Amino acid sequence: MFNLTFSAAHPLSAYGWDQGFAESFVPHAEQGFLPGRIVRVDRGRVDAVVPDGDGVRTMLADTALVATGDPLRVPCTGDWAALDLANGRSGAHVDGVVRALLPRRTAFVRSTSSKRAEGQVLATNLDHIVICVSLAEPLDLGRIERFLALAMSSAADEGPLDTTSAPSPASGAQPVVVLTKADLAGAPEGLAHLVADVESAAPGVPVLAVSSATGDGLDVLRAVLAGGTSVLLGRSGAGKSTLVNVLVGEEVQLVQAIRDRDGKGRHTTTTRDLRLLPGGGVLIDTPGLRGVGMWDAHTGLARTFSDVEELAEECRFHDCAHRGEPGCAVQEAVDSGELSVRRLESYRKLQRENQRIVAKTDARLRAELRRDWKQKQALGRHMMERKRGPQR
């Protein structure tokens, strides 16, 4: 049976194996299975690292036995799995099968489409979620807020999730905004203004400006990522592949130039791959994300827009919509310049989108929204009738 005694010298410790995962694996060890961390997923099969003497080896496993049809429960890069290498060979080039997934501590989930109530897990068991934003193009603060809301909801209880041994179950993984291509931002004063703009949209979140070309800021980023599991997220052209090559210390990702006509990147990364970092920790690279839809991000929205939420608590009415009601502290903050119109509109937009997604899977909430809409329609008709006055 696999040795469950955990130590820093454990062959899987470099990949994030710890006492908590070891304890979760006990029932599977009794069945003769091996633990492994999934480092790549591709068409129903996974590459996973498993202990092999004092080191590790990568093996190919079939996921048919854990295919539930639920997209939130499919094996994902970053998962820890129970692997059967003795009785699970299903082909000449397959070493075994995935028998089970260990409970996830954190997961980054987005909706696959605003028209379908279906989530997609991009990476699991994360300590840091790195949101990459290129300074070679105008900042889109609303997009950053969207990523942050999902990142701060990473401890949500979709899929096989473990909230008993996470580093911080209440907050999930720690988001970090990395402004790439800082060498293209111009004068230091201009770069400082850009960092300040992002900090205003990301209260309490570390914002780092880095350049893969000059090396500026990379030492700080390496220190942040050391010793944990991190995932890089962002749109194509954000410089993720170049950053991965620099952080890993070798050319592991193909790099292509962005298109001149629109500044958009070409997809150079096609799978989500987990790689060891030379300074400790592991890094998951992901393909560029064109769309990032909300997925049950109520907690993350409240934390991302904590300033708006705090103002809302001071409103006279608990159900204030912040649209001109008397005693609205949010509107007063907008009028005084304390809160920008852009940030309030971003908050409203993401709240509406998240509510629609949740309502598609929650019949009770869907009924409440329908009832609320009917009440508003009735109130609108009543106000119009009062405005017109009695009919002769």
Side-chain angles (χ1 to χ4, degrees):
M1 186 176 77
F2 172 70
N3 181 12
L4 291 176
T5 303
F6 173 74
S7 70
H10 192 284
L12 289 176
S13 62
Y15 287 88
W17 183 258
D18 60 24
Q19 187 62 41
F21 287 123
E23 293 173 357
S24 297
F25 191 75
V26 169
H28 307 294
E30 293 171 349
Q31 300 178 64
F33 302 150
L34 278 179
R37 190 160 199 191
I38 296 175
V39 298
R40 189 172 183 268
V41 178
D42 189 16
R43 300 178 184 179
R45 294 180 178 180
V46 301
D47 289 336
V49 289
V50 297
D52 184 14
D54 294 332
V56 299
R57 66 185 175 96
T58 303
M59 45 82 66
L60 182 66
D62 198 308
T63 63
L65 292 179
V66 291
T68 64
D70 182 349
L72 295 177
R73 295 179 181 272
V74 299
C76 181
T77 303
D79 274 332
W80 287 96
L83 300 163
D84 185 355
L85 306 188
N87 306 304
R89 290 185 174 84
S90 58
H93 303 291
V94 178
D95 300 302
V97 296
V98 177
R99 292 287 181 178
L101 299 179
L102 298 192
R104 293 167 178 164
R105 294 180 178 177
T106 55
F108 186 93
V109 185
R110 67 166 179 175
S111 65
T112 55
S113 171
S114 60
K115 296 181 181 179
R116 296 200 309 271
E118 188 174 285
Q120 179 189 22
V121 184
L122 298 185
T124 65
N125 296 313
L126 306 166
D127 297 294
H128 296 96
I129 296 175
V130 182
I131 303 164
C132 296
V133 180
S134 172
L135 291 180
E137 59 185 11
L139 285 176
D140 185 344
L141 298 180
R143 186 175 178 83
I144 294 173
E145 289 163 340
R146 176 181 291 272
F147 270 100
L148 286 172
L150 291 170
M152 292 185 179
S153 299
S154 60
D157 56 358
E158 269 74 15
L161 190 83
D162 175 21
T163 58
T164 62
S165 55
S168 180
S171 59
Q174 170 66 50
V176 181
V177 179
V178 172
L179 305 179
T180 63
K181 308 181 184 181
D183 54 299
L184 303 180
E189 296 80 6
L191 177 60
H193 284 302
L194 292 171
V195 171
D197 286 344
V198 175
E199 288 176 339
S200 70
V205 175
V207 178
L208 307 176
V210 306
S211 170
S212 298
T214 66
D216 290 344
L218 292 179
D219 287 344
V220 177
L221 179 58
R222 288 190 180 98
V224 170
L225 304 184
T229 299
S230 305
V231 62
L232 295 187
L233 300 171
R235 60 180 294 177
S236 295
K240 299 190 305 299
S241 295
T242 304
L243 190 57
V244 168
N245 289 339
V246 172
L247 293 173
V248 174
E250 58 181 296
E251 297 291 323
V252 294
Q253 291 289 15
L254 176 67
V255 177
Q256 294 186 16
I258 62 173
R259 296 197 298 255
D260 292 333
R261 68 177 183 273
D262 57 11
K264 293 183 179 179
R266 301 180 177 91
H267 282 295
T268 57
T269 304
T270 57
T271 58
R272 299 187 289 274
D273 299 305
L274 184 149
R275 306 180 189 279
L276 282 175
L277 293 173
V282 294
L283 183 66
I284 300 174
D285 189 21
T286 62
L289 301 175
R290 290 190 179 93
V292 187
M294 290 289 100
W295 182 263
D296 198 7
H298 175 75
T299 301
L301 283 168
R303 295 183 60 210
T304 300
F305 294 94
S306 58
D307 51 344
V308 181
E309 296 272 326
E310 290 171 3
L311 287 169
E313 293 179 357
E314 300 176 12
C315 291
R316 182 183 303 176
F317 304 108
H318 74 278
D319 58 349
C320 182
H322 320 308
R323 296 186 180 276
E325 294 88 343
C328 175
V330 172
Q331 193 59 54
E332 290 175 2
V334 171
D335 294 340
S336 67
E338 178 185 352
L339 178 67
S340 70
V341 174
R342 183 214 63 79
R343 185 159 171 80
L344 178 58
E345 287 304 314
S346 178
Y347 172 73
R348 287 171 171 163
K349 176 182 178 180
L350 295 179
Q351 286 279 17
R352 289 193 302 269
E353 180 182 330
N354 188 65
Q355 196 172 49
R356 286 196 301 269
I357 290 294
V358 174
K360 288 181 178 180
T361 58
D362 189 327
R364 184 175 62 180
L365 178 59
R366 188 161 58 246
E368 290 176 356
L369 290 176
R370 189 179 298 114
R371 183 168 58 252
D372 182 58
W373 176 248
K374 289 181 177 179
Q375 290 176 347
K376 289 180 178 179
Q377 283 185 316
L379 179 60
R381 288 194 297 268
H382 174 69
M383 296 302 293
M384 286 299 296
E385 290 172 359
R386 287 188 57 184
K387 185 176 180 179
R388 291 171 182 167
Q391 300 293 322
R392 293 184 179 180

